[in-house]
Amino acid sequence: MKQALIPEFYDLSERILNSGDGYWGNLGYWQPGNDYSMACEGLARQLAAAVDLNPDSRVLDAGFGCGDQLLLWLRDYHIEYLCGINYSISQTELAQQRLSHAGYHDAANNIHQSDVTVLSESTEVTTKNINTVLALDCAYHFPSRKKFINDSYKILKHASNDDNKTIGFTDIILAETAAGNKISWEKRLFLNIMLRLSQIPQHNIMTLSEYENQLKQAGFEHVVSQDISDQVFLPFGHWLNSQEDSIKKAAGKRSVWLKYKITTVFLAWAYKNQVLRYVIVSAAVES
């Protein structure tokens, strides 16, 4: 894997959004009274519930950020085994340090900086009887979600002696009302520009029915989805706007604040114009 020669797109900048010692970096599942860290943890717990995370879970976490969710899986769900891959160099190094500092030395050694496109080539993954694959608020950034789904199915299918083999996502999808020619070319153009700026491949933004079909075509069964758009898109923007002064001060650079502000404007536009939705999706592999 080539080392980054320019500033990383996925870095440690979300630290300024967090309270306490958090480094969370997702859009959050918002309830009244939440701050950013609480909302991000809430989204992680929604995903954990969708896949029934438990002490028998042997987890591969793809796109684990700075490690907050890894610590949550280990501390609160007492999972049996953890490994993970993450594209960002700086995030992965920090996550390894945080796991080691918390006493999870084996887990720290089992998470690596890597691209999900080589998932099926990792012996750390393929030899450990992984029964749960997680992608928390990140799969829309993958070079190909379809390849990730297919590779995950192969990994889960070969896990021995396990009746609960599950994959789970929290993810952005295309609203059915925006599919095909149902939106104007101006909205389609704006969507494509924003996806490019956000480093989201256009082919990853598909309708829920297309998403479910990809899972089924890979071999997954019992596909379950839940639309949580109302708890994600607008509340994230409302919170960010309410914290504008403190975040600007913490950010230092105007470009850092603008990154978050533009994100909230885009998500609000996509939500209000029924272009994008936010979902939790899980599916199982039959033993």
Side-chain angles (χ1 to χ4, degrees), residues 13-175:
S13 59
E14 276 76 20
R15 175 69 188 105
I16 64 173
L17 305 180
N18 281 266
S19 57
D21 59 356
Y23 278 85
W24 288 101
N26 64 56
L27 293 175
Y29 180 85
W30 295 85
Q31 300 291 338
N34 277 172
D35 66 9
Y36 180 73
S37 296
M38 292 170 61
C40 288
E41 181 179 320
L43 187 64
R45 290 189 182 278
Q46 291 291 316
L47 179 59
V51 299
D52 187 26
L53 206 64
N54 62 73
D56 293 324
S57 298
R58 298 179 62 82
V59 174
L60 162 66
D61 190 318
F64 53 74
C66 296
D68 298 78
Q69 63 213 52
L70 304 181
L71 290 167
L72 183 67
W73 311 148
L74 291 162
R75 288 172 173 168
D76 286 26
Y77 296 90
H78 309 289
I79 60 173
E80 180 181 336
Y81 176 81
L82 174 68
C83 65
I85 57 174
N86 192 55
Y87 188 70
S88 168
I89 297 168
S90 59
Q91 289 181 353
T92 302
E93 290 177 347
L94 178 60
Q96 290 168 335
Q97 294 168 10
R98 297 178 75 197
L99 289 180
S100 292
H101 182 73
Y104 299 109
H105 302 292
D106 289 342
N109 292 329
N110 292 338
I111 61 171
H112 305 284
Q113 187 274 327
S114 183
D115 191 319
V116 293
T117 58
V118 297
L119 179 63
S120 61
E121 301 170 17
S122 172
T123 55
E124 184 62 51
V125 172
T126 57
T127 63
K128 296 298 184 180
N129 285 328
I130 300 299
N131 61 21
T132 308
V133 176
L134 301 176
L136 177 66
D137 196 37
C138 59
Y140 48 87
H141 283 300
F142 292 170
S144 171
R145 188 197 290 108
K146 182 177 181 179
K147 185 179 189 306
F148 175 74
I149 287 172
N150 290 336
D151 289 346
S152 296
Y153 177 81
K154 294 173 184 176
I155 291 166
L156 293 168
K157 184 66 175 177
H158 289 106
S160 61
N161 301 323
D162 200 296
D163 294 328
N164 185 24
K165 304 175 186 179
T166 311
I167 190 170
F169 304 83
T170 69
D171 218 340
I172 293 174
I173 63 168
L174 185 68

Side-chain angles (χ1 to χ4, degrees), residues 166-195:
T166 311
I167 190 170
F169 304 83
T170 69
D171 218 340
I172 293 174
I173 63 168
L174 185 68
E176 295 287 349
T177 52
N181 297 317
K182 297 176 183 177
I183 59 172
S184 67
W185 69 266
E186 294 96 340
K187 289 181 180 178
R188 176 69 65 177
L189 177 61
F190 181 64
L191 172 63
N192 290 341
I193 290 172
M194 291 307 299
L195 292 178

